[in-house]
Amino acid sequence: MTDSATLDQLADRLRSAHAVTVMTGAGISAESGVPTFRGTDGLWRNYSATDLATPEAFARDPRLVWQWYRWRRGIIGRAEPNPGHLALARLQSRMRAFTLITQNVDGLHQRAGSTRVIELHGNIWRARCASGCGVVTDAAGEAAGDEPAGDQDPAPVCSCGALLRPDVVWFGEALDQSRIDLALRAAQDCQAFLVIGTSALVYPAAGLPRVAASAGALVVEINVDDTPLTPHAGLVLRAKAAEVLPALESRV
Ligand code: BV8
Ligand code: ZN
């Protein structure tokens, strides 16, 4: 756990900041029981995320890719926001200007009460037409009730006859320009940039802390392990997000 003096120092910095930006990764959902991407719990049938989260994998075997997403939807649908998500939602209402950027597609920040969340990589509960006819469906409501489709079910089909695909950004796909522009601006305009539960490996998201640092922000890494960002962070809280974020938020 991080010492009290460090938390007090950081809380002072957040209180005096005109704008605070936060970027989260899979590590903030770990304590909700959602597997991270690169931890040992992240494997599914011995596939890694980078094997399946690609347009090539979907073109090759859309049913396999949907089985993976349905497996994840099942876990996420049964997960609850943890104290880390909830602390960030409370923090948002206490800050003059607060932007939450997430690489996660699980929607747990919104379920915790965070608003105007920038979902850089999309959302697992939405699906969109793979041929680009414009159809987008949202299964978030189903998560509460209906059991996700069974393992053997085929990939869902759009009303235009093409396949539906998860409305997420796969490796090798460009991010939505408006989202990345919003995130860039939030990184450039803040005095404190908290980077929580990400291995800082996936670009362009992993480039945002450097943008914040070069604009003069204090970059704070909250993670249980070292990452490529650690040597560049102004402050490192080596702790679990669900433990340290409530302790920090209670001081602000
Ligand atoms: C693009 C959505 C261009 C899908 C995801 C070589 C160098 C640089 C870049 C590249 C390169 N080769 C290829 C690239 C580009 C590539 C990339 O960055 N690859 C990496 C792997 C090298 N990026 C892309 O392809 C991006 N697109 O560049 O497009 C372009 C431009 C124009 C036209 C065409 C193309 C798209 C990237 C998005 C991919 N989609 N997800 C889905 O979710 O199904 S990425 C996926 O990884 C998730 O979004 C995830 O969030 C993200 C990052 O992972 P993390 O969130 O960091 O999770 P991870 O498990 O890795 O780490 C967890 C961390 O938490 C750990 O550090 C752990 O210690 C910590 N932790 C654990 N428990 C806790 C904790 N911390 C605190 N508390 C705890 N309790
Ligand atoms: Zn369609």
Side-chain angles (χ1 to χ4, degrees), residues 183-242:
L184 266 175
R185 196 158 328 119
Q188 285 159 344
D189 296 351
C190 68
Q191 285 74 46
F193 192 100
L194 307 186
V195 186
I196 305 169
T198 180
S199 55
L201 292 172
V202 174
Y203 285 81
L208 291 170
R210 307 285 165 83
V211 169
S214 52
L218 167 68
V219 173
V220 182
E221 180 178 60
I222 296 175
N223 200 313
V224 293
D225 280 337
D226 278 2
T227 73
L229 175 65
T230 306
H232 307 281
L235 186 61
V236 175
L237 307 187
R238 184 65 67 241
K240 289 187 171 182

Side-chain angles (χ1 to χ4, degrees), residues 24-28 30-31 36-39 50 53 68-69 72 103-105 121 168-175 196-204 222-227 239-242:
T24 62
I28 195 164
E31 284 151 289
T36 61
F37 275 76
R38 291 164 187 84
T50 40
W68 180 49
Y69 279 93
R72 290 172 65 195
Q103 300 171 87
N104 301 341
V105 298
H121 297 156
V168 299
V169 180
W170 281 330
F171 289 102
E173 292 186 320
L175 278 66
I196 305 169
T198 180
S199 55
L201 292 172
V202 174
Y203 285 81
I222 296 175
N223 200 313
V224 293
D225 280 337
D226 278 2
T227 73
K240 289 187 171 182

Side-chain angles (χ1 to χ4, degrees), residues 99-134:
T99 305
L100 177 56
I101 302 163
T102 189
Q103 300 171 87
N104 301 341
V105 298
D106 58 32
L108 288 176
H109 284 301
Q110 294 90 320
R111 285 178 53 198
S114 291
T115 56
R116 299 190 312 280
V117 180
I118 301 173
E119 293 181 307
L120 286 181
H121 297 156
N123 186 296
I124 198 168
W125 295 114
R126 289 195 308 270
R128 69 173 192 264
C129 177
S131 77
C133 84

